[in-house]
Amino acid sequence: MRTPLAVEVVKLNKHVSSSDTLLTILHDLDLVVTHGETLAIVGSSGSGKSTLLGLLAGLDSPSSGKVLINGDDIGELDEDGRAAVRGKSMGFVFQSFQLLPSLTALENVMLPLQLAGCKDANTLAQAALVRVGLGQRLSHYPRQLSGGEQQRVAIARAFAPKPAILFADEPTGNLDAVTGQSIIELLFTLNAEVGTTLILVTHDLALAERCQRVLRLRDGQLQVEGLSEEFTTT
Amino acid sequence: MIALSLAWRQLRSHWASGAVRVLLLALVLAVAATTAVGFFTDRIQSALVRQGGLLLGGDLVVSADHALPQKYELEARRLKLQSTSTLAFPSMIAQGKLSQLAEIKAVNAGFPLRGQLTISTQADANQVASAGSTANTIPAPGTVWMEPRLANLLAVKVGDSVEVGERKMQVAAILQREPSRGGDMFSIAPRLLMNAVDVPSTQLIQFGSRVKYQLLIASDAKAIQDYAAWAKPQLARGERVEDVRSARPEMKSALEKAQQFLGLSAMVGVILAMVAMFLASLPYVQTSLDTYALMRCFGASKRLIVRILMYQTLLLALLGSVVGCLLGFAAQAGLAALAGRLFLEALPSPGWMPALSGMAAGFATMLAVVWPHLLRLRDVPALRILRRDLGDLHTAGWLSFLPAVIVMAGMVFWHAGDFKIGSVTLLAFFALLLMAGALTYAGSKLLQKMSKAGHGAWNNGAWSLGLAGLKRRPGMTIAQVIGFSFGLMALILLALVRGDLLSSWQASLPPDAPNRFIINIQPAQIVGVKVFYTQAGISKTEVFPMVRGRLVALNNRPLDTKKYQDEGVRRLAEREFNLSQIAQMQTDNQLLAGRWWRTDEYGKPMLSLEQGVAKSLGIKLGDRLTYDIAGTRLTLTVTSLRKVEWDTMRVNFFAVTPPGVLDAFPASFISSFHLPLGHEDKLNQLIRRFPNLTVIDVAALMEQVRGIMNKMSHAVEYVFGFSLLAGIAVLYAALVATRDERVREATLLRVLGAKRRQVVAAVLTEFFCIGLLAAIVATVAASALAYYISVRVLNIPYQFNYSLALLALLGASLLVPLAAWFGVRGFLNQTPRQLLQSI
């Protein structure tokens, strides 16, 4: 029996209606991502990168087609079902960090652990923050942290539950070059440590090249940008 | 547990955001206003029962026109209730050649069970006004205490002797105050108090004597209730049970009106607080969007979100209700202090019911006003994490307001305690909403048209931006205008109530209101009485004829009094009515149905009835009532029903006819007047000249009523303080409602190159328009409400307060934009780069 793929996308379409016309963002898109793979999706602004990420993570519903996560079609699930899949096997890092300003760094990292019903949320969150170098900033609120520190908290939050798949949306987009570089290092180091499947959306080619595979989203389709020998795409 | 923990953490962290603070403050105010008034009215009601006890001399009185059977006293003893008995009867008291009819009360040890007797041992009765001491006992055997009037009429001093029946008894003291002196005012002659053991020796009570036997009972409310429940079925003919409800109606009326005022004040506070809560919930929901979107992104189910939201709501409700109850409890102590010695004894401790009601009100308000809006967060899409434009919850369905409307209606009716007032208030609320909506819509359209049509100053960027803001957020603009309107309305109403309404209420019992009644004036004595008025310098006098008649038939059918189940109503039907004839309806009367007679109808068999009597006896407009007047029958048709303000202390009648109708019947006359202090001598001269006249002194009673009015006015102002705070909370909530959005817009404008001055001008312009519209709505609404309270509730003329309206318009047009500017000022002082980072 074949081991299910981390992510499998079959004939994915996404249309949105804009005044009188129907706009096609993704068109018959197919994709497979194996466990532990690092994949970068690049493309110009408005190419649909974030839309694709939203569909892969079950944040949005496709117009047609299938998205299978670990072999399960998330299209067949209702919103709560998709949320459960996200809570069980996905982590997220966003361009704008998406930390809750009302929670401390520790509480922010604890949030997905608590939502998953983890009893050791506090211990695990502390460990994650120590791992990203913020052991001394546990009780700091986001507004008391620099942009780089905030993104470290976000990375700690993403890795703390040890997700099978990590979605990162322009993780360095809001950071200066030096900070961005250190964040990339941290992201890839942790990814290697945890063995997470990483799907990265970026327009930064330097960042994308750190991934095993790079796909470009153009005209609603994925095209090979960079390819290691064992991965292919249709 | 996870839901509770997250809810608590969210709540704690949201405390930092202004919206939750306003939300909580508004809830605290609503609960505090509710509980403060609840606690206070609870104490007043308990005090009323006790006050009634003071008026009766006990908590309950069993009275009879014959010696009371022993069973009543035995049962009281069995239940371990305090009891004592009295008997009262009229008799002539003589001193030398002078004699005077007096109302003798013979009392046993322990009298009175409630309240205290105040006596003076100063020799001269005219000097006792200020001196007096509490009597801890009753007159010793062989002695009597008498009222100053009786002492004057008999020209006796303390130490002199008077003849009481067959006994000579010494006047041991002048009786200044007897708490139980109340009830049927028109039957009282001056009081003489004596020890009951002396009664047999006076030989005044013979077969056929008119004696009122009373057994006074006192205990806690429950025991009294139990005793009354036992006693009522035992009552034989001529026996009755009296409690607080039969005690002085004018005191009760004044207190009821005061309670109505308090209820209205609390109601305004609660409505405002609910508006503030709704407004505060908008930014609370808005700032929570990202949180819940993120939670959804991290796998939180809708069920979990709902639980978190429910816990948050309940925690907020619990916190707000507990703090509100505590504040309400503390505030009622202030109210009680303001009420001061409103009652003869200290106010009883409050019960727990108001606290429970306050908690229930807090939870109901929170769940009805905030929960439906919070619940919308359940549907925030997780995709909002990636696309911030998704999931904004600016508009809510009408259905989500339904619970708030239901709870508000419940609270309004509860506080109003009157269906009509409650309905009018609710209607006024919705009228205000509609008016605010329509005015805002029309006003913003007009301003935009002016902006488009105009040039130059009208068309500069800042003005256009400001006016565009009104159009950009029509829903929020209307919500803000409504919020500001309510806040301003509370302030205007407070000013009106403080300045106009309360003083008008107090003016309904002016210092020169009649404080003496003379009854039994014979037609030939009217001239003499008028001469007395002239000599005493009394100008405001009224003299009315009084014809006594018994109602014997209703619509030509003999009146069957047995059909009235209620004992009081039956007595009312059986007693003789005092009919009078009046040309003009008195100013303290209000026509409720039918019409007053014209001059050409004088002499026609028409009748105007007081509504309470009509209702009790089941008499309608057009009914024909037949009275037996000294053996002659007179049939009159009810042509109008009147409401009478009994607490004005003026002469009023249940039944009046046009002039000329009663001319043929034997009449005595009644007059009322205000006797200035120090003119008692002249009055005594009049009485000596016409010994048959009976003077009723209501000065002390009026002082009590006036005291209630003064003190309760302070209490009402105090409760309106909650409304004031709630009004400010509404104003603040209305400002905070759009602050984040406004900051984002201002930031964008600054980034796009707008000067700080232009952004400030745009904000000021938008809020000037909002403030102006709100001030117009608030002035119209507050004036309408004040008109209603004046004319419908207080029966006093209403005058539009122009200066206050102008002040409101100017104030709101200046202060609202200034407050808005203060709200965003901090952001406008930052550089565009700083701004971008902060949003």
Side-chain angles (χ1 to χ4, degrees):
Chain A
M1 190 176 149
R2 184 169 78 107
T3 307
L5 294 161
V7 178
E8 186 176 359
V9 174
V10 183
K11 299 278 178 212
L12 191 69
N13 285 284
K14 182 68 181 176
H15 314 293
V16 290
S17 49
S18 168
S19 47
D20 299 340
T21 58
L22 197 67
L23 202 66
T24 299
I25 299 172
L26 301 174
H27 177 64
D28 282 347
L29 186 144
D30 294 324
L31 170 72
V32 290
V33 185
T34 57
H35 284 285
E37 184 185 357
T38 55
L39 168 70
I41 298 169
V42 296
S44 55
S45 289
S47 61
K49 300 190 296 293
S50 294
T51 304
L52 176 59
L53 188 80
L55 290 167
L56 296 181
L59 298 173
D60 197 4
S61 303
S63 302
S64 65
K66 284 183 179 179
V67 175
L68 290 90
I69 302 293
N70 293 322
D72 296 327
D73 183 358
I74 60 170
E76 288 178 356
L77 302 172
D78 61 7
E79 272 191 60
D80 273 353
R82 294 203 295 271
V85 170
R86 282 197 298 273
K88 197 173 140 195
S89 52
M90 294 180 193
F92 295 88
V93 176
F94 304 102
Q95 178 179 359
S96 54
F97 323 137
Q98 295 290 5
L99 298 179
L100 295 181
S102 52
L103 301 185
T104 62
L106 180 64
E107 287 167 344
N108 264 294
V109 179
M110 282 169 66
L111 183 66
L113 292 165
Q114 286 180 313
L115 289 172
C118 176
K119 289 199 165 51
D120 300 326
N122 194 301
T123 315
L124 289 174
Q126 282 197 42
L129 280 166
V130 169
R131 179 67 192 84
V132 298
L134 292 174
Q136 306 300 313
R137 303 280 211 161
L138 301 182
S139 56
H140 283 61
Y141 285 93
R143 64 177 179 279
Q144 296 168 313
L145 301 171
S146 69
E149 286 173 325
Q150 287 188 48
Q151 195 60 304
R152 279 169 189 271
V153 175
I155 288 171
R157 180 178 64 185
F159 280 107
K162 298 198 167 33
I165 307 163
L166 181 76
F167 292 100
D169 181 19
E170 303 278 13
T172 58
N174 269 3
L175 303 170
D176 59 66
V178 179
T179 312
Q181 192 54 43
S182 71
I183 289 295
I184 289 168
E185 292 303 331
L186 180 66
L187 189 67
F188 279 93
T189 307
L190 282 174
N191 192 58
E193 280 176 17
V194 180
T196 307
T197 305
L198 174 66
I199 299 176
L200 183 73
V201 165
T202 184
H203 61 268
D204 180 355
L205 286 177
L207 170 58
E209 280 167 7
R210 296 286 300 267
C211 295
Q212 292 164 323
R213 188 159 54 123
V214 180
L215 298 175
R216 177 171 289 278
L217 191 59
R218 183 180 287 154
D219 300 329
Q221 290 273 357
L222 282 172
Q223 298 170 349
V224 181
E225 184 84 5
L227 176 70
S228 70
E229 54 199 32
E230 68 265 52
F231 296 105
T232 55
T233 184
T234 52
Chain B
M1 279 308 286
I2 169 75
L4 186 60
S5 153
L6 282 170
W8 172 247
R9 199 169 296 148
Q10 285 284 317
L11 205 58
R12 193 196 61 195
S13 56
H14 273 310
W15 176 249
S17 100
V20 162
R21 284 190 219 167
V22 178
L23 184 61
L24 203 60
L25 171 73
L27 180 63
V28 166
L29 285 172
V31 176
T34 301
T35 45
V37 172
F39 277 128
F40 185 58
T41 47
D42 185 50
R43 292 179 74 177
I44 284 192
Q45 257 146 16
S46 306
L48 256 180
V49 174
R50 285 204 187 174
Q51 186 83 353
L54 299 181
L55 303 174
L56 294 168
D59 295 326
L60 192 88
V61 173
V62 184
S63 59
D65 55 6
H66 53 261
L68 275 163
Q70 276 255 304
K71 60 181 178 185
Y72 293 109
E73 195 171 346
L74 289 175
E75 180 66 8
R77 277 194 209 151
R78 192 183 71 76
L79 293 171
K80 296 190 170 62
L81 313 179
Q82 282 179 272
S83 68
T84 186
S85 57
T86 67
L87 57 165
F89 51 91
S91 181
M92 295 303 286
I93 307 294
Q95 199 272 331
K97 288 180 184 173
L98 295 172
S99 62
Q100 172 64 37
L101 180 73
E103 188 75 20
I104 297 175
K105 188 164 201 164
V107 298
N108 282 297
F111 175 84
L113 297 177
R114 294 282 183 231
Q116 285 160 330
L117 298 166
T118 309
I119 56 169
S120 168
T121 48
Q122 290 239 7
D124 190 345
N126 284 324
Q127 295 172 0
V128 300
S130 57
S133 59
T134 302
N136 295 316
T137 179
I138 57 169
T143 66
V144 295
W145 298 347
M146 61 174 64
E147 282 184 354
R149 187 152 59 95
L150 183 59
N152 278 326
L153 291 167
L154 294 172
V156 297
K157 295 188 180 71
V158 173
D160 291 347
S161 290
V162 290
E163 288 169 36
V164 183
E166 297 298 314
R167 281 285 303 270
K168 244 188 177 344
M169 299 179 87
Q170 192 189 34
V171 179
I174 300 298
L175 180 63
Q176 277 186 279
R177 182 189 280 175
E178 177 200 337
S180 57
R181 191 104 161 103
D184 191 3
M185 285 198 300
F186 290 88
S187 69
I188 51 177
R191 170 75 85 214
L192 181 137
L193 202 70
M194 63 184 284
N195 195 306
V197 297
D198 291 329
V199 173
S201 60
T202 62
Q203 295 184 27
L204 284 173
I205 299 180
Q206 305 290 333
F207 178 75
S209 295
R210 278 177 55 208
V211 184
K212 186 176 183 183
Y213 295 84
Q214 289 193 318
L215 176 69
L216 279 60
I217 312 273
S219 187
D220 59 74
K222 172 78 176 68
I224 291 295
Q225 217 173 0
D226 291 347
Y227 183 84
W230 169 84
K232 280 180 182 167
Q234 312 280 330
L235 296 172
R237 184 169 176 80
E239 296 171 4
R240 55 194 273 208
V241 170
E242 291 175 69
D243 58 15
V244 62
R245 279 167 296 185
S246 47
R248 297 210 296 252
E250 54 294 293
M251 286 271 290
K252 203 162 159 262
S253 167
L255 275 166
E256 276 173 358
K257 201 167 267 182
Q259 283 187 29
Q260 215 168 32
F261 263 124
L262 281 173
L264 277 170
S265 323
M267 193 167 68
V268 172
V270 168
I271 290 177
L272 285 169
M274 287 177 83
V275 173
M277 284 170 71
F278 167 68
L279 287 170
S281 72
L282 297 178
Y284 177 49
V285 169
Q286 200 65 33
T287 53
S288 301
L289 286 173
D290 289 345
T291 304
Y292 290 98
L294 201 66
M295 283 193 191
R296 293 288 285 154
C297 182
F298 288 148
S301 64
K302 282 189 177 185
R303 202 163 152 252
L304 179 66
I305 300 276
V306 169
R307 276 166 58 206
I308 293 170
L309 291 169
M310 178 51 87
Y311 283 135
Q312 262 187 44
T313 309
L314 293 178
L315 282 169
L316 266 174
L318 183 69
L319 194 64
S321 302
V322 168
V323 175
C325 279
L326 290 174
L327 191 66
F329 186 80
Q332 64 81 31
L335 277 172
L338 277 176
R341 285 179 63 80
L342 191 64
F343 302 91
L344 298 178
E345 289 182 349
L347 279 176
S349 301
W352 281 105
M353 268 316 281
L356 289 178
S357 312
M359 292 289 287
F363 275 84
T365 309
M366 190 71 193
L367 287 171
V369 179
V370 180
W371 172 245
H373 301 282
L374 272 187
L375 196 59
R376 292 154 64 205
L377 287 169
R378 178 188 56 175
D379 300 320
V380 173
L383 193 59
R384 182 182 160 87
I385 289 299
L386 298 175
R387 289 183 52 192
R388 284 190 58 85
D389 57 319
L390 291 176
D392 274 0
L393 301 172
H394 275 312
T395 50
W398 283 106
L399 219 56
S400 63
F401 292 97
L402 192 63
V405 170
I406 292 170
V407 168
M408 184 181 280
M411 301 273 272
V412 164
F413 282 116
W414 174 33
H415 281 293
D418 180 288
F419 182 77
K420 200 173 153 195
I421 293 178
S423 311
V424 167
T425 309
L426 272 183
L427 278 176
F429 173 77
F430 290 115
L432 179 65
L433 284 185
L434 275 177
M435 189 167 69
L439 251 176
T440 311
Y441 181 78
S444 55
K445 285 269 173 216
L446 180 73
L447 287 165
Q448 280 162 24
K449 264 190 182 169
M450 284 165 73
S451 171
K452 275 182 192 166
H455 295 285
W458 269 108
N459 226 7
N460 76 36
W463 270 103
S464 303
L465 275 174
L467 294 175
L470 297 176
K471 193 181 172 188
R472 207 162 41 244
R473 290 175 284 269
M476 279 313 290
T477 301
I478 290 175
Q480 278 183 314
V481 170
I482 290 170
F484 282 124
S485 306
F486 271 97
L488 285 169
M489 190 184 72
L491 302 183
I492 297 170
L493 207 56
L494 184 65
L496 284 173
V497 166
R498 275 180 61 96
D500 298 351
L501 298 188
L502 288 181
S503 41
S504 298
W505 181 40
Q506 289 173 344
S508 67
L509 192 62
D512 62 348
N515 59 3
R516 298 287 194 286
F517 292 85
I518 306 179
I519 56 172
N520 212 21
I521 305 169
Q522 299 308 305
Q525 295 170 331
I526 292 176
V527 176
V529 171
K530 286 188 173 167
V531 168
F532 154 70
Y533 288 149
T534 313
Q535 285 172 348
I538 298 166
S539 54
K540 286 185 193 168
T541 60
E542 292 170 315
V543 180
F544 298 96
M546 227 160 56
V547 172
R548 290 177 80 80
R550 191 180 300 278
L551 184 63
V552 290
L554 180 58
N555 292 324
N556 301 325
R557 275 202 292 268
L559 186 70
D560 177 16
T561 56
K562 288 195 187 97
K563 73 175 180 182
Y564 299 115
Q565 301 288 316
D566 187 273
E567 192 201 351
V569 176
R570 198 162 52 242
R571 274 207 308 275
L572 181 72
E574 284 171 351
R575 70 172 230 184
E576 281 196 321
F577 277 83
N578 286 315
L579 296 157
S580 190
Q581 50 187 23
I582 296 173
Q584 294 296 322
M585 190 172 67
Q586 286 166 277
T587 51
D588 54 356
N589 285 209
Q590 185 193 342
L591 202 64
L592 297 180
R595 61 173 185 84
W596 197 251
W597 32 80
R598 300 185 302 266
T599 47
D600 62 325
E601 288 170 326
Y602 288 180
K604 291 197 172 161
M606 298 164 86
L607 185 74
S608 177
L609 262 192
E610 192 265 346
Q611 58 147 357
V613 169
K615 193 177 166 193
S616 298
L617 301 180
I619 298 169
K620 302 180 300 297
L621 213 60
D623 281 353
R624 289 162 57 77
L625 310 188
T626 305
Y627 288 93
D628 182 331
I629 304 171
T632 308
R633 297 213 162 190
L634 172 68
T635 300
L636 303 164
T637 304
V638 179
T639 53
S640 66
L641 296 175
R642 287 167 296 127
K643 182 183 172 190
V644 177
E645 294 294 321
W646 294 105
D647 51 4
T648 58
M649 312 295 291
R650 294 171 58 191
V651 175
N652 266 298
F653 297 92
F654 286 129
V656 294
T657 68
V661 175
L662 303 172
D663 285 353
F665 297 97
S668 67
F669 288 77
I670 179 171
S671 180
S672 68
F673 59 96
H674 179 84
L675 184 73
L677 209 65
H679 284 63
E680 287 81 2
D681 260 3
K682 291 194 181 90
L683 181 60
N684 289 335
Q685 285 166 20
L686 176 78
I687 306 300
R688 281 192 201 108
R689 190 175 157 202
F690 303 124
N692 65 303
L693 297 187
T694 301
V695 177
I696 297 163
D697 181 354
V698 291
L701 178 62
M702 280 181 59
E703 272 317 302
Q704 272 183 296
V705 174
R706 196 172 280 127
I708 289 174
M709 285 180 170
N710 286 335
K711 286 166 180 170
M712 293 306 268
S713 294
H714 289 304
V716 170
E717 284 184 10
Y718 184 83
V719 174
F720 253 109
F722 284 106
S723 308
L724 177 68
L725 286 177
I728 292 169
V730 171
L731 294 177
Y732 184 68
L735 276 176
V736 170
T738 56
R739 193 182 61 187
D740 290 349
E741 195 179 337
R742 215 166 289 286
V743 167
R744 268 201 299 277
E745 280 179 11
T747 304
L748 203 63
L749 289 172
R750 292 291 308 279
V751 172
L752 292 175
K755 289 175 189 161
R756 187 178 168 279
R757 204 180 55 219
Q758 284 174 306
V759 177
V760 170
V763 170
L764 291 178
T765 303
E766 187 176 345
F767 275 93
F768 168 78
C769 298
I770 288 175
L772 187 68
L773 289 169
I776 293 170
V777 174
T779 308
V780 173
S783 303
L785 215 55
Y787 169 84
Y788 177 78
I789 295 173
S790 299
V791 176
R792 298 283 171 184
V793 181
L794 293 173
N795 294 319
I796 50 175
Y798 172 74
Q799 272 197 320
F800 183 75
N801 194 325
Y802 288 98
S803 52
L804 195 63
L806 196 66
L807 193 70
L809 285 172
L810 277 174
S813 313
L814 288 173
L815 293 179
V816 170
L818 267 179
W821 173 67
F822 263 107
V824 294
R825 187 180 55 135
F827 294 93
L828 299 178
N829 287 336
Q830 295 176 13
T831 62
R833 181 175 156 67
Q834 283 173 313
L835 284 171
L836 274 177
Q837 282 175 341
S838 70
I839 62 170

